Amino acid sequence: MTTVPSPGEPIAWHKHEVLLIREVARLLGRSVEPHFVIRQTLRLLSEWVGLNRGRVLMWDEQQEQLGIRHAYGLTADEVARGRFARGEGVSGQVHRSGAPRIIQDIDREPEFLCRSVERQRLPNETVSFLAVPLREGERVIGVLAAHRLRNRRRALDDDLELMQTIGAMLGQAIRLNEELKRRTAQLESENRDLRVRLGSQLPNFGILGDSPALRDCLDQTRRLAATDMTVLLLGESGTGKELFARAIHQASGRSGAPFVNVNCAAVPESLFESEFFGHERGAFTGAATALPGRFELAEGGTLFLDEVGELPLSMQAKLLRVLQERIVVRVGSRRELRLDVRVVAATNRDLADLVSRGEFRLDLYYRLSVLPLRLPALRDRAPDVPVLVRHYAHEACLAWRREAVQFSEPAMRLMQAHPWPGIRARSSGGSARNCLDWTCPSGRRGLRPGFRRTGGCGTCSSLSRRSACGHCSSARSAAPLRRQSVAGRADARNDSAAVHLSPSEARSRR
């Protein structure tokens, strides 16, 4: 590791310059984030060659001022004071003319304003000031400047030449970062447009199914989307609450703004306020930077509060105030931020029962349930089961590179008759397991219950999870069906006979 020589030791300045440039190049290879690279470079200039209080000034197009963007050795007040009009002071002239400047003695230079660093804070010696332009091609985008003591063994011209070399490297880093930001913003804009177009083109907002219960729910979704009022999505787990929340967002006038999703059950109670409302720097231990909350991130768009029934009572009161006033206050701040956010909440719990037990605020319940929408469970959408099962099976086959599977008609009828509580939790998991497990315990290659594959043995066909092979468990798989009517029992026996094939029958049908 390179060390700075002691005061009595001869200094090989050329070697120092080479090492410094090498370290700056290494920094540029580690990160494209300009603040880290520039601050570390200014630190190296200060510690290795004595160019102290380094700063990089950038032009602010909105305020039409040249201001300190990055600094090392300056206080926050000094950085805030370092703002110059076009052509004002030494830094302003360097920015306007594009020519470097050396101020031999700042006390004898009327153009040096001592605005950022007051003279009494500098050493009681002759202090020099050097400033070089930062370029992006032929355009001057900023200024690199620093103080140094004039009475040193190193020539000012050598420092100026070194700063010009470093300035060229930092200018490239700034240019690359600006280009990266521009391209990232362009990609984000294109992605937003693409999501809006796909959301408007996909039937039913990408929600699969065409059952009467689903069509009625989608019609209500379109009507609710036309308003800006709070919507409460009710239903069992797995009924697609987030999909319907996104559908409300896409069908509303806020579709071009952010859709922010937060799972209330996954946020620790101690972090609820910071997660929802944001925090200022130093608001608590570990708050190194100021961060916006979910409400701020959803400005102009939709905030989806999933599992809202899991909110603690202390947080419910604060959420109620935000819903009433549309104002948030960050943790550690007193400044009120007025927001334009639509809230869509969801829960699988009975909020009225929670209110009666004192676990949920009545006023918040009324505030959330202005426009309730109950989502149908999959057992109420039997016509949609074939579409959903084929979709999840296709996804599983693609994900795990399995051969495409095919469902028999009897197996599909049994799945339609099953009292599914939700959508994804059971049907997608069952489809994935069936795609993966192709070997039955009897040693024959086949599929898990309810599946049939071209060329397979067809012996594993029971829908019952308890039975692995159709040869030995037809009675068990058909037992639940005996509770049906006489016609139902006949259909069940026919289905069972169609599903459970003997090895000879399976070979004859191939």
Side-chain angles (χ1 to χ4, degrees):
M1 182 176 179
T2 306
T3 58
V4 179
S6 60
E9 182 182 348
I11 301 177
W13 291 115
H14 176 70
K15 183 178 179 181
H16 262 234
E17 291 177 0
V18 172
L19 292 175
L20 191 147
I21 293 173
R22 185 184 301 169
E23 287 297 320
V24 174
R26 189 174 301 170
L27 289 172
L28 292 172
R30 287 175 54 190
S31 173
V32 296
E33 206 285 315
H35 181 74
F36 169 79
V37 173
I38 294 176
R39 180 173 172 80
Q40 292 301 315
T41 300
L42 296 177
R43 179 184 66 81
L44 293 175
L45 287 173
S46 176
E47 295 178 357
W48 286 22
V49 293
L51 294 173
N52 302 317
R53 298 177 182 84
R55 79 285 310 262
V56 169
L57 300 93
M58 302 293 294
W59 182 255
D60 190 333
E61 294 289 350
Q62 294 182 348
Q63 299 186 6
E64 295 188 349
Q65 285 184 328
L66 186 68
I68 298 178
R69 188 78 57 85
H70 313 279
Y72 179 79
L74 300 183
T75 65
D77 291 338
E78 291 171 342
V79 171
R81 290 198 301 265
R83 309 194 68 84
F84 305 89
R86 190 183 300 274
E88 183 183 19
V90 176
S91 299
Q93 291 181 7
V94 170
H95 178 263
R96 183 174 60 180
S97 65
R101 289 284 304 272
I102 295 178
I103 306 300
Q104 299 264 358
D105 187 353
I106 62 173
D107 296 327
R108 297 188 178 185
E109 177 56 60
E111 294 180 350
F112 190 82
L113 305 178
C114 284
R115 179 173 298 173
S116 301
V117 184
E118 299 175 349
R119 183 64 181 89
Q120 55 267 28
R121 288 199 69 245
L122 297 174
N124 192 20
E125 301 180 38
T126 303
V127 177
S128 302
F129 184 78
L130 298 89
V132 299
L134 299 179
R135 297 181 181 275
E136 181 182 340
E138 297 299 324
R139 184 171 66 96
V140 178
I141 59 174
V143 176
L144 171 64
H147 290 102
R148 63 153 279 181
L149 297 177
R150 192 178 68 178
N151 298 325
R152 298 180 67 236
R153 288 175 287 175
R154 180 174 168 84
L156 287 170
D157 289 340
D158 293 340
D159 280 345
L160 186 68
E161 184 177 352
L162 176 63
M163 288 183 63
Q164 286 179 306
T165 303
I166 298 297
M169 300 174 70
L170 296 183
Q172 291 298 317
I174 294 172
R175 184 190 66 80
L176 289 175
N177 182 259
E178 294 296 328
E179 181 68 14
L180 182 62
K181 285 184 178 180
R182 185 187 67 80
R183 294 191 179 185
T184 302
Q186 181 180 357
L187 288 175
E188 290 177 348
S189 176
E190 292 176 356
N191 287 338
R192 284 194 298 269
D193 294 342
L194 184 60
R195 283 196 297 267
V196 171
R197 292 175 184 175
L198 289 177
S200 61
Q201 292 175 4
L202 288 175
N204 298 340
F205 308 100
I207 300 175
L208 300 178
D210 195 36
S211 62
L214 180 63
R215 287 200 303 268
D216 180 66
C217 194
L218 288 171
D219 290 340
Q220 295 184 54
T221 298
R222 293 184 179 93
R223 290 196 296 270
L224 296 177
T227 71
D228 261 349
M229 303 182 72
T230 303
V231 177
L232 178 62
L233 302 178
L234 303 171
E236 302 173 14
S237 295
T239 50
K241 300 183 187 66
E242 184 176 352
L243 289 176
F244 278 91
R246 289 186 181 275
I248 293 173
H249 174 73
Q250 292 173 3
S252 69
R254 300 174 178 267
S255 57
F259 176 86
V260 178
N261 177 13
V262 56
N263 189 332
C264 301
V267 181
E269 185 173 352
S270 59
L271 298 179
F272 262 112
E273 194 170 358
S274 173
E275 183 75 14
F276 277 75
F277 309 138
H279 63 261
E280 296 292 344
R281 179 181 178 183
F284 50 83
T285 302
T289 59
L291 288 178
R294 296 302 180 100
F295 274 93
E296 286 185 66
L297 294 176
E299 170 63 19
T302 304
L303 177 64
F304 176 49
L305 301 179
D306 198 7
E307 304 292 349
V308 72
E310 307 298 330
L311 282 173
L313 285 172
S314 59
M315 193 62 198
Q316 293 177 22
K318 297 175 182 178
L319 177 61
L320 176 65
R321 180 179 180 273
V322 174
L323 295 179
Q324 290 175 337
E325 306 295 335
R326 302 292 174 178
I327 292 175
V328 299
V329 179
R330 290 184 178 183
V331 178
S333 173
R334 296 183 179 179
R335 183 166 60 95
E336 295 183 342
L337 303 174
R338 185 167 296 277
L339 301 176
D340 175 26
V341 177
R342 182 186 192 167
V343 174
V344 177
T347 183
N348 60 354
R349 304 185 66 181
D350 186 352
L351 293 186
D353 181 60
L354 294 179
V355 170
S356 65
R357 300 207 309 260
E359 298 178 10
F360 202 85
R361 293 179 62 100
L362 180 62
D363 45 7
L364 179 58
Y365 171 71
Y366 285 129
R367 178 65 63 174
L368 291 175
S369 60
V370 176
L371 297 175
L373 175 61
R374 183 166 292 278
L375 307 183
L378 189 56
R379 61 177 174 273
D380 302 323
R381 298 171 49 191
D384 296 337
V385 170
V387 177
L388 292 169
V389 171
R390 292 189 184 101
H391 168 73
Y392 292 132
H394 178 68
E395 282 190 339
C397 290
L398 290 179
W400 291 307
R401 300 180 180 179
R402 299 284 184 173
E403 297 179 29
V405 295
Q406 181 183 353
F407 294 88
S408 64
E409 289 300 325
M412 196 66 76
R413 287 197 295 270
L414 287 172
M415 282 190 283
Q416 286 182 282
H418 185 74
W420 302 100
I423 296 179
R424 295 189 65 90
R426 297 288 179 88
S427 59
S428 63
S431 300
R433 284 193 300 272
N434 282 309
C435 291
L436 284 175
D437 191 0
W438 285 357
T439 305
C440 66
S442 62
R444 298 178 177 89
R445 286 203 40 97
L447 299 178
R448 280 187 65 90
F451 284 76
R452 184 179 62 202
R453 178 169 58 90
T454 302
C457 71
T459 56
C460 284
S461 307
S462 170
L463 254 182
S464 173
R465 288 186 179 181
R466 294 171 297 175
S467 58
C469 178
H471 284 76
C472 56
S473 53
S474 3
R476 283 187 297 175
S477 63
L481 300 176
R482 294 173 183 156
R483 293 192 292 270
Q484 300 177 6
S485 62
V486 175
R489 288 198 300 272
D491 292 340
R493 284 194 296 272
N494 292 334
D495 288 347
S496 178
V499 174
H500 300 292
L501 302 177
S502 65
S504 60
E505 291 173 328
R507 286 192 296 271
S508 64
R509 292 196 180 190
R510 268 186 269 177

